[in-house]
Amino acid sequence: MTKADLVEIVFEKVGLSKKEAQDIIEIIFDTIKQSFVEGESVKVPGFGTFNVRQKAARRGRNPQTGEELTIAPRRVLTFKASNQFKAMIEKQDQDKE
Amino acid sequence: MTRSTLIEKVSEKVKDLTLKQTEIVVETVFESIKEALAHNEKIEIRGFGNFRLKERQPRNARNPKTGEKVEVPSKMAVRFKAGKALREALNPDLIKG
């Protein structure tokens, strides 16, 4: 599923024009992204939580050359699915068997 | 940022939609992603990231209270990977020249 599929679903379910659906979906992801850039986590009940985490610098190795290097400190994103989301996944997985 | 803050912020940027309509779109987007993942379909949001299911291997664990051995069956877990544009937005200093 891509952004184009989401546009199609919003177009069909909500009755916006395709252009409107496309614009609002773009704005939704941009707004979430902006929150991450500001270092703020995003919580969506029933879906999950995105956390921005600061990673310290660490020593690593280039796996190809074996050369030692320092990996710069960075911010990474983690996502934790909500219990409801996990339950939904588990149920579908069991129904399949 | 919570779901309601997200809806407010998106609504401010979208001129022609009411708060209620924006809420329906936001809800539709997250529900569609959940629905697709429940069917083990990969979601690719360009500039944002990917969601997919990853199988967790079965493992042996212990009930911490009783010390009793329990077998934890394999299960599906939701995995989110931030896209390149998002990783770069989080770490503007790390972009390679």
Side-chain angles (χ1 to χ4, degrees):
Chain A
M1 178 189 256
T2 63
K3 235 185 260 174
D5 298 311
L6 282 177
V7 169
E8 199 62 37
I9 294 168
V10 169
F11 167 73
E12 281 170 18
K13 277 198 187 165
V14 188
L16 302 178
S17 74
K18 286 206 180 161
K19 174 81 176 101
E20 285 173 319
Q22 197 175 351
D23 287 348
I24 188 169
I25 285 168
E26 206 63 51
I27 290 169
I28 290 169
F29 288 110
D30 276 352
T31 306
I32 297 173
K33 199 162 142 183
Q34 191 51 43
S35 179
F36 296 155
V37 169
E38 286 160 15
E40 211 195 322
S41 63
V42 175
K43 277 184 198 178
V44 181
F47 187 76
T49 306
F50 296 91
N51 275 311
V52 184
R53 298 189 57 188
Q54 179 70 47
K55 298 279 241 181
R58 60 186 170 90
R59 315 238 351 137
R61 218 176 255 282
N62 179 331
Q64 246 156 40
T65 63
E67 192 187 352
E68 275 214 30
L69 43 90
T70 306
I71 296 167
R74 65 190 63 223
R75 290 195 293 178
V76 296
L77 262 184
T78 60
F79 173 72
K80 195 166 179 280
S82 74
N83 288 334
Q84 193 224 320
F85 192 178
K86 282 188 209 165
M88 181 179 172
I89 300 288
E90 197 171 331
K91 188 175 180 302
Q92 291 280 349
D93 197 33
Q94 281 165 359
D95 289 351
K96 220 173 47 193
E97 281 160 19
Chain B
M1 184 164 80
T2 59
R3 179 179 170 277
S4 52
T5 319
L6 172 64
I7 293 164
E8 280 166 28
K9 285 190 176 181
V10 171
S11 187
E12 281 166 20
K13 294 179 203 166
V14 187
K15 294 270 152 38
D16 305 327
L17 264 65
T18 65
L19 195 64
K20 185 72 200 160
Q21 286 174 309
T22 307
E23 185 177 358
I24 293 168
V25 176
V26 169
E27 200 55 40
T28 303
V29 166
F30 287 115
E31 284 306 315
S32 306
I33 293 175
K34 275 163 73 174
E35 200 59 45
L37 270 178
H39 293 97
N40 207 352
E41 196 188 328
K42 190 178 169 184
I43 327 291
E44 300 182 36
I45 310 294
R46 188 154 293 216
F48 188 78
N50 297 344
F51 295 90
R52 67 185 174 88
L53 290 187
K54 192 171 195 297
E55 189 174 6
R56 294 262 177 271
Q57 293 300 317
R59 63 192 171 89
N60 295 315
R62 264 175 207 280
N63 180 331
K65 259 192 199 143
T66 62
E68 195 186 349
K69 273 189 186 173
V70 273
E71 282 177 23
V72 183
S74 81
K75 58 180 170 189
M76 301 306 269
V78 181
R79 168 108 172 82
F80 171 72
K81 188 167 185 261
K84 187 160 179 268
L86 182 50
R87 290 199 307 270
E88 288 180 351
L90 283 173
N91 300 287
D93 301 341
L94 297 182
I95 299 169
K96 284 173 193 140

